[in-house]
Amino acid sequence: MIAPVQLVDLIIEARWVVPVDPAGVVLENHAVLVNDGRITALLPQEAAAARFSARSYKRLDQHVLIPGLVNLHTHAAMSLLRGLADDLPLMAWLQQHIWPAEAQHVSEQFVHDGTLLACAEMLRAGITCFNDMYFFPGAAAEAARASGIRAAIGLIAVDFPSSYATDADDYLAKGIAVRDRLLDEPLLSFCLAPHAPYTVSDRSLGKVLTLAEQVELPIHVHLHETVQEIDDSLKRFGMRPIERFRRLGLLSPALIAVHAVHLDACEIELLARHGCSVAHCPSSNLKLASGIAPIAELFGKGINIGLGTDGAASNNRLDLLQEMRLTALLAKEKSGRADAINAHQVLYMATLGGARALGLEANIGSISVGKAADLCAISVNDVALAPCYDPVSHLTYAVGREHVSEVWVAGRIRVENGQLVENNETGLIKLALLWQNKIRP
């Protein structure tokens, strides 16, 4: 007896499928089946054709299909400040240029428009989920929702006033209100986002920890980014920031330590022992001369690592494929070992590592049955990419975001043939130019 053919929403056939989990696997001539926004099967193309039919088909004969990339750290709205004050040290860049510009211009509309621009850039680069940290998180959430991208919205907290809130209590209260209002949005999740050790007091960090435990949210914070941050902490608190966080009870699997550039052996052990994650942002670290994070050592201790772009003001591009290449190359140079980090491990960081840090690994980060169909197709049909012996090596060392051809979020196509399906790119460029004319010094 012949089994009836089952109807699904979408069948994607690809030359290569890299599911990420299990690790190191590359499947040739396989199909991913999607129904109701979720992956229902991953099997050889012949088996898929025999058992299933679809309302829609996508054949990717010269492509690598991977999970959608997860940008573990960014300030999306800062796309409107891209290139505003380049080639400066971090604190001079912040104190003399970025913070004054933010004080003058940041508003709910600024955040909405800047995040719209960032979402378009990220989707075209294969990023299907981003972890944000910025003012007016409700406006960022609305822009992400309008763009059809998955977002972990950071509920920022700092001790100084802004156009958004007056003090840390006000920031947190407004952030939790945003989270409560949007809790049922399927593409949104939330993080508590105290900005940095030097902008948040012990009292405020304590309140962040209490809230994180009450509502079970990750804590997303800049940590050990620069030597100056550590020196200032020694002068002010008599200890390095990670030790201060340990004493406050903040080191846990909920903590996402952004940058984590300047770490000694004991601090690496602390992060490993407490199950913390690290958001590695190599381009931003290099551009601001913050340093090179010890990624090989962190990885060797079993610390979960995800990759981030940081904001477009300090990168200046939201391109996780570029971060993958830099991660591999810098880890080799920093450790003195060419085999320190391999291409499969870097791809894990850019997908499942980021998902795990956000507590989303059961839903995204790999091409696995039951997970959301957040997918990215990358074409290798380019003279600059020929020949292709190893598609995962190509992903890490050869391809660029211009090779991203299709992107799906929860089974819905957002990029097709390299172009946004729904966002009006011309309109976004005009919007950015309007803001440029306001902000131009």
Side-chain angles (χ1 to χ4, degrees):
M1 183 175 179
I2 299 174
V5 172
Q6 183 177 341
L7 180 66
V8 295
D9 291 334
L10 172 65
I11 295 177
I12 306 169
E13 297 179 347
R15 174 68 178 84
W16 295 282
V17 177
V18 185
V20 173
D21 184 23
V25 170
V26 177
L27 303 172
E28 295 192 47
N29 300 314
H30 270 57
V32 175
L33 281 65
V34 178
N35 205 47
D36 293 330
R38 296 202 165 268
I39 298 164
T40 59
L42 170 59
L43 67 172
Q45 291 174 11
E46 297 82 358
R51 294 170 48 194
F52 295 90
S53 64
R55 296 177 180 88
S56 178
Y57 286 86
K58 193 70 179 182
R59 292 181 175 84
L60 303 169
D61 295 334
Q62 299 296 325
H63 298 71
V64 189
L65 187 68
I66 62 173
L69 302 174
V70 178
N71 185 353
L72 189 55
H73 174 66
T74 193
H75 312 285
M78 294 183 81
S79 291
L80 292 177
L81 302 178
R82 189 194 321 262
L84 180 66
D86 283 339
D87 306 321
L88 295 170
L90 174 63
M91 295 315 296
W93 176 75
L94 282 173
Q95 294 172 353
Q96 299 169 29
H97 299 274
I98 296 302
W99 287 347
E102 288 178 326
Q104 184 175 355
H105 297 290
V106 169
S107 63
E108 195 163 1
Q109 194 65 51
F110 175 99
V111 173
H112 179 270
D113 294 350
T115 304
L116 274 181
L117 188 66
C119 289
E121 181 182 359
M122 287 190 283
L123 282 169
R124 284 191 53 181
I127 295 167
T128 56
C129 177
F130 70 99
N131 182 28
D132 201 37
M133 177 195 284
Y134 209 62
F135 307 103
F136 296 98
E142 293 298 337
R145 185 167 62 170
S147 301
I149 192 171
R150 197 177 299 277
I153 301 298
L155 310 179
I156 193 169
V158 295
D159 279 341
F160 56 79
S162 70
S163 57
Y164 171 56
T166 56
D167 57 21
D169 290 347
D170 194 25
Y171 282 98
L172 291 171
K174 287 178 175 175
I176 291 298
V178 169
R179 179 246 184 199
D180 292 346
R181 176 168 57 87
L182 298 172
L183 195 57
D184 293 331
E185 286 294 326
L187 296 183
L188 298 181
S189 60
F190 299 88
C191 288
L192 287 165
H195 172 258
Y198 52 88
T199 55
V200 187
S201 67
D202 284 1
R203 175 190 173 278
S204 300
L205 287 170
K207 187 159 187 178
V208 166
L209 178 59
T210 299
L211 278 172
E213 292 173 343
Q214 287 175 345
V215 295
E216 298 183 343
L217 293 182
I219 298 172
H220 172 208
V221 59
H222 299 95
L223 191 60
H224 281 230
E225 182 176 3
T226 65
V227 171
Q228 183 177 341
E229 173 197 329
I230 295 167
D231 289 345
D232 289 349
S233 181
L234 287 167
K235 292 173 185 174
R236 183 177 174 189
F237 300 102
M239 66 191 83
R240 289 160 68 93
I242 283 181
E243 174 59 18
R244 179 176 162 224
F245 273 41
R246 185 193 70 79
R247 295 189 188 190
L248 291 170
L250 285 159
L251 299 186
S252 79
L255 186 73
I256 303 170
V258 181
H259 298 297
V261 172
H262 301 281
L263 302 170
D264 61 29
C266 292
E267 289 161 345
I268 293 173
E269 288 286 352
L270 272 176
L271 293 175
R273 188 184 318 145
H274 290 277
C276 305
S277 292
V278 166
H280 179 42
C281 307
S283 291
S284 179
N285 294 341
L286 289 173
K287 184 164 182 281
L288 294 170
S290 298
I292 301 172
I295 291 301
E297 289 84 347
L298 293 168
F299 187 81
K301 290 293 183 180
I303 293 170
N304 182 58
I305 301 166
L307 303 185
T309 60
D310 212 337
S314 67
N315 185 315
N316 296 18
R317 50 197 282 153
L318 307 180
D319 182 354
L320 218 61
L321 290 166
Q322 182 182 69
E323 305 306 323
M324 287 172 60
R325 175 176 166 82
L326 278 174
T327 293
L329 297 180
L330 290 173
K332 297 173 191 302
E333 197 285 330
K334 179 82 170 175
S335 66
R337 295 188 292 112
D339 61 352
I341 298 288
N342 67 42
H344 280 274
Q345 291 162 344
V346 172
L347 179 60
Y348 176 94
M349 294 175 191
T351 53
L352 197 52
R356 179 180 166 194
L358 295 170
L360 299 176
E361 69 271 26
N363 193 43
I364 63 170
S366 64
I367 301 178
S368 304
V369 172
K371 287 194 177 185
D374 290 12
L375 303 165
C376 170
I378 297 174
S379 172
V380 295
N381 188 27
D382 187 314
V383 68
L385 301 178
C388 181
Y389 299 111
D390 179 347
V392 180
S393 172
H394 261 38
L395 291 175
T396 300
Y397 299 114
V399 305
R401 63 181 177 180
E402 67 274 14
H403 298 113
V404 172
S405 61
E406 274 75 29
V407 176
W408 293 264
V409 179
R412 194 164 173 183
I413 195 157
R414 297 298 181 186
V415 175
E416 189 166 26
N417 297 321
Q419 299 299 313
L420 294 168
V421 171
E422 295 179 9
N423 295 49
N424 183 327
E425 295 189 31
T426 301
L428 288 172
I429 293 169
K430 289 180 179 178
L431 189 64
L433 290 174
L434 286 173
W435 278 105
Q436 179 183 343
N437 290 332
K438 293 180 184 179
I439 296 167
R440 187 193 306 271

